[in-house]
Amino acid sequence: GRRRSAVMRAAWTVLACALVPGAEAFGVHAKWSSKVHASQVVDIRMPMPSAAPKTKTRTLVKPGLAQPAKPQQQQKTAKAVPKRKTESAYVPMWKVILLGDEEYEEDPVCGVIVEVLPDLGPDEARNKYHEAQATGDSVLTVVNQEHAEAYVSQFHRSTPMVFADAQPE
């Protein structure tokens, strides 16, 4: 009776260790019990399933005999590709317009124009300045909308502040 209960307790200990990961941390040890020797404990844990090895099948065909049927291949479906925007795609262009003002001074305003629009040289900036003063406005450059709005905001933040506008072409 006593020996049998010790063996049963050892078997339950092994079972607890197999079913509860980390059971050893709570004082349950599978190797031996205080009253039962390790050789008396039967390990009843279930073996872990192992990955089955992949098998390859080869079909030998003898000349003169009928060929075995080949399995049908799945047809590939084409993925939808988004339309790419290229340089030839239409991009609306906007004019950056310098507005004339009586309080402008020529040198500081021309300096700001050259600073904001580096493609314009000092001589061309002076010509645009005189045109804006004479007619009320002058087209400085034609670019896409995002760049035009950025140029206008740079003109407004500059010192001295230069009045400019962006309009669709």
Side-chain angles (χ1 to χ4, degrees):
R2 202 170 214 227
R3 183 179 168 140
R4 187 173 184 186
S5 65
V7 171
M8 289 299 294
R9 188 175 33 221
W12 281 110
T13 302
V14 170
L15 181 63
C17 289
L19 296 178
V20 179
E24 290 87 8
F26 297 102
V28 178
H29 298 286
K31 289 193 176 182
W32 60 81
S33 175
S34 61
K35 296 184 181 182
V36 178
H37 189 267
S39 64
Q40 295 174 320
V41 177
V42 179
D43 191 2
I44 58 171
R45 291 182 282 185
M46 298 294 290
M48 297 299 291
S50 61
K54 294 183 179 179
T55 58
K56 293 184 179 181
T57 306
R58 286 204 290 182
T59 306
L60 296 176
V61 179
K62 293 184 179 180
L65 298 176
Q67 297 278 339
K70 292 183 180 178
Q72 289 184 345
Q73 294 180 354
Q74 282 186 329
Q75 291 187 2
K76 295 181 180 178
T77 56
K79 291 185 179 179
V81 179
K83 224 177 194 180
R84 295 180 65 181
K85 288 188 177 182
T86 60
E87 291 179 15
S88 63
Y90 175 73
V91 176
M93 302 302 281
W94 286 58
K95 300 181 282 188
V96 178
I97 301 171
L98 173 67
L99 303 175
D101 189 14
E102 298 170 355
E103 297 180 12
Y104 281 158
E105 293 180 13
E106 183 175 352
D107 290 334
V109 171
C110 291
V112 168
I113 293 172
V114 170
E115 186 179 316
V116 173
L117 299 171
D119 293 343
L120 290 178
D123 293 334
E124 196 173 356
R126 287 194 194 291
N127 291 341
K128 299 288 184 178
Y129 170 79
H130 289 296
E131 182 183 343
Q133 291 298 80
T135 62
D137 62 3
S138 175
V139 177
L140 295 174
T141 186
V142 179
V143 292
N144 64 38
Q145 181 180 5
E146 185 177 348
H147 289 171
E149 290 171 352
Y151 288 145
V152 168
S153 69
Q154 286 178 345
F155 280 126
H156 290 172
R157 289 184 303 203
S158 66
T159 305
M161 184 165 70
V162 176
F163 298 105
D165 191 20
Q167 295 178 356
E169 190 177 38

